[in-house]
Amino acid sequence: MNLINSNTFNNLSTVKMIDSSIEHQWLDIKEQMNDFELSQQYIDICQKHSLENKWILVLTPKTNSLEQLNSSTHIDTSKVLQVNTNKVKINIKNVKTALSKGNCAAVILCNANLKKSELKKLTTYAQQGKTQCIVLNNKTLH
């Protein structure tokens, strides 16, 4: 009986470790310092997801950084959706819907001030829809 309990305990800890790695797979938070780094992030993300033949949704992008995608011949920009939310706060419910439906390969949030609880919820919905959620933040120097 002790052996069974030990196996059960070991299996539980293995599952917990797997869940932790899944969380990192679906949510990625990155920081960049300038427009060049931001443009490079957009290019890297689009190249990574180009084979999935799904949309890439970019919320509140810096226009000049996103324009670099047009100069790259390797990226199909017809699959990149750009939504500017400069005048309103990003609606987390809409982001959850975009993540959970699975129509996008990736949803990129730019400079979204999200709470830890909101990030956890987004991770759950990203996993459900098999959509990578990427948060790009400007890194500020003090």
Side-chain angles (χ1 to χ4, degrees), residues 39 43 64-75 77:
S39 295
I43 291 169
N64 56 346
S65 296
L66 196 57
E67 287 174 357
Q68 293 291 350
L69 290 175
N70 290 331
S71 64
S72 176
T73 59
H74 306 294
I75 297 172
T77 56

Side-chain angles (χ1 to χ4, degrees), residues 2 21 28 42 45 48 52 71 74 115 118-120:
N2 287 338
S21 67
D28 193 5
Y42 289 144
I45 292 165
K48 178 180 177 185
E52 294 179 50
S71 64
H74 306 294
K115 299 174 189 171
E118 292 172 320
L119 290 172
K120 188 152 183 79

Side-chain angles (χ1 to χ4, degrees), residues 11-23:
N11 288 341
L12 288 176
S13 64
T14 303
V15 170
K16 187 175 183 179
M17 288 173 54
I18 291 171
D19 286 344
S20 176
S21 67
I22 287 172
E23 184 174 317

